[in-house]
Amino acid sequence: MTVDALGVRRLTAAGWEADRTQPHRNNRLRYAEFLSWLHQDLGNSERTIDSVRNALDGIGSDPSPWGVWLNASYVEVHRAQGLEVLGRHDQAAEAFADAIWLRPDDYHRDRGVYLARQAVALAGARDPERAATVGMSALTIASDTGSGRITNELARLDTALIPRRRQTPVAEFRAAFDSTLAHETKDA
């Protein structure tokens, strides 16, 4: 997982460029700070995440484009990604599960992406059977939506599961993933 440093800089710049009298400016800056800390230090990340969580009520009423997606699920996704980068795979898997639960039901494709990322985290946490099971759920959504983002995450999972390829759930996931990729290639 790579850190989206450019996105952090853009979000921070957008906050600074906002009208200083705008009441939600500080929320955007706090969120940008959260993103920058997230990938550096778990202690600082957790404190910043708490700060962002405390500001979410104000962010939700923000009429700017930022207010629509700055919600508890989005914060939890970034927390999960930060935990994954820091090698805290078991905690990342739990955080992805929380983010999925918090996500609105109509965000089908996002659900697939986060399920796939949760599966990768589970593989990193040395829980290949659960990783394969969660991966199968993400694969179903990838097949339904044709999402390249989900497929890219599932490719990471497929690679991570190679050492456990003889375990039945892993073998079933890998066969289904290979079959889906072959099918997608033929239809393209």
Side-chain angles (χ1 to χ4, degrees):
M1 172 93 32
T2 59
V3 177
D4 183 11
L6 181 59
V8 170
R9 286 194 301 270
R10 285 182 179 156
L11 188 56
T12 303
W16 282 115
E17 290 173 16
D19 181 354
R20 294 192 186 271
T21 63
Q22 196 175 30
H24 300 290
R25 178 185 156 274
N26 289 333
N27 292 333
R28 286 192 296 274
L29 291 175
R30 200 170 301 142
Y31 188 75
E33 177 190 11
F34 149 72
L35 287 175
S36 66
W37 278 111
L38 188 59
H39 300 288
Q40 296 174 22
D41 176 309
L42 187 58
N44 282 327
S45 295
E46 292 295 339
R47 282 188 293 282
T48 307
I49 287 167
D50 287 341
S51 174
V52 171
R53 284 179 179 147
N54 291 334
L56 282 177
D57 287 337
I59 292 172
S61 63
D62 185 346
S64 76
W66 303 109
V68 175
W69 52 267
L70 293 180
N71 57 37
S73 177
Y74 197 78
V75 170
E76 199 62 21
V77 163
H78 283 283
R79 178 175 173 265
Q81 289 175 190
L83 289 165
E84 182 72 9
V85 167
L86 293 170
R88 310 264 177 124
H89 305 292
D90 54 340
Q91 293 172 327
E94 288 177 28
F96 278 121
D98 290 344
I100 292 163
W101 184 80
L102 291 166
R103 205 93 190 130
D105 290 337
D106 58 341
Y107 283 63
H108 192 57
R109 186 170 300 174
D110 285 352
R111 176 177 163 71
V113 171
Y114 303 142
L115 280 168
R117 289 178 183 172
Q118 179 188 22
V120 171
L122 287 165
R126 296 190 174 116
D127 193 348
E129 290 185 10
R130 274 186 60 211
T133 300
V134 172
M136 287 292 263
S137 295
L139 184 58
T140 300
I141 296 171
S143 295
D144 291 347
T145 63
S147 171
R149 288 175 54 211
I150 301 170
T151 303
N152 288 341
E153 295 296 333
L154 290 174
R156 291 179 53 221
L157 175 62
D158 186 55
T159 300
L161 291 176
I162 289 172
R164 306 295 182 138
R165 63 185 168 267
R166 289 189 178 86
Q167 291 181 325
T168 302
V170 172
E172 290 171 355
F173 166 77
R174 297 191 76 232
F177 183 63
D178 288 345
S179 170
T180 299
L181 281 183
H183 177 70
E184 293 292 325
T185 305
K186 286 179 190 173
D187 289 345

